[in-house]
Amino acid sequence: MSAVTSVASMAREAAREPRITVAADAGALAALAAAEIARTATRAAEARGLAAIALAGGSTPIRTYRRLAEPEEHEGVPWERVLFFFGDERCVPPDHPDSNTRMVREALLARLPIPAANVFRMAGELDDPERAAAAYEADLRQELGPAPRLDLAILGMGVDGHVASLFPGSPALEERTRLVCAATGGQPQPRRLTLTLPALCAARAVLFLVSGAEKAGTVAEVLAGRRPDLPASRVRPEGEVHWLLDPEAASRIR
Ligand code: 6PG
């Protein structure tokens, strides 16, 4: 291998090594995450005219979204040039207590000066999840082009290593061509819609937000490369992967 090739391959390998940050506590995690999201949105909008961010569901990101909604946190972000997508959604109406759309609306969107037309929710209320998935994929291609690349995919992780609604052993996890598909798994509401690995691995950057001692074992296994089978291990984009953890979730990393 020539010197140039070896440097290039090392650079690519280095680029694929995840960045790991252990915040002082859950509040610091939210502050660091909010700042990173605002920074990424601004830089992408300046570089390419538009920033495309996929938001995570679940409970961990709520504190981050509330922090991002604080005016001082998002000062200067050109929200009119930022598009929000969702990493996944439960198959419920958007005002249902289990809806990620409802959670994001209450924690973030209701307090952010972003045009409503810039927010693309997954239609979890439709009776036919596969049709809803296909419609969402069409939205992605309509807004981001034939080979959509998110600037940032924000993800949580379950104790079982799932990300978005890609659960271990699920057919959705093995999807290789579609960008969005119907999925099953998890509680509440096991019927779901989710971005697939092709969509997540095309992202320019991935930000994992993980907190809680119950996830420490899975975090340690994934970051040590001991569980390449887990969904969280299989999100390996060309771009940067940043794990933002609280001390409890990081407590078993060696
Ligand atoms: C969802 C999420 C899911 C979540 C993980 C972690 O719709 O539930 O997209 O993938 O990120 O289950 O959830 P917590 O942050 O609530 O632990």
Side-chain angles (χ1 to χ4, degrees), residues 90-144:
R90 292 82 179 272
C91 289
V92 294
D95 58 355
H96 189 284
D98 293 335
S99 164
N100 285 335
T101 297
R102 173 171 166 173
M103 177 276 286
V104 168
R105 182 178 294 139
E106 290 174 350
L108 178 64
L109 300 179
R111 300 165 54 213
L112 204 60
I114 187 168
N118 287 27
V119 180
F120 297 83
R121 70 176 186 87
M122 295 179 170
E125 70 277 13
L126 293 187
D127 291 339
D128 180 350
E130 289 296 1
R131 186 162 65 87
Y136 202 70
E137 178 157 340
D139 284 344
L140 281 168
R141 295 187 193 279
Q142 170 73 30
E143 298 301 325
L144 305 180

Side-chain angles (χ1 to χ4, degrees), residues 57-61 88 90 100 156-158 162-164 192 215:
S59 56
T60 302
D88 69 335
R90 292 82 179 272
N100 285 335
M157 187 191 75
H162 80 261
V163 295
R192 302 198 174 196
K215 301 181 181 178

Side-chain angles (χ1 to χ4, degrees), residues 114-214:
I114 187 168
N118 287 27
V119 180
F120 297 83
R121 70 176 186 87
M122 295 179 170
E125 70 277 13
L126 293 187
D127 291 339
D128 180 350
E130 289 296 1
R131 186 162 65 87
Y136 202 70
E137 178 157 340
D139 284 344
L140 281 168
R141 295 187 193 279
Q142 170 73 30
E143 298 301 325
L144 305 180
R149 291 196 70 192
L150 294 163
D151 292 291
L152 180 64
I154 304 167
L155 292 173
M157 187 191 75
V159 173
D160 63 355
H162 80 261
V163 295
S165 287
L166 301 174
F167 291 87
S170 69
L173 180 61
E174 303 312 324
E175 175 62 44
R176 282 287 170 277
T177 51
R178 290 181 295 170
L179 301 176
V180 190
C181 69
T184 53
Q187 289 302 329
Q189 305 296 343
R191 293 176 67 240
R192 302 198 174 196
L193 301 171
T194 186
L195 295 187
T196 60
L197 284 178
L200 295 174
C201 291
R204 292 186 175 90
V206 171
L207 175 61
F208 280 98
L209 306 179
V210 185
S211 65
E214 72 280 7

Side-chain angles (χ1 to χ4, degrees), residues 40 64 67 74 81 100 117 142 149 173 203 250:
T40 303
T64 293
R67 185 65 184 257
H74 64 255
R81 287 187 287 150
N100 285 335
Q142 170 73 30
R149 291 196 70 192
L173 180 61

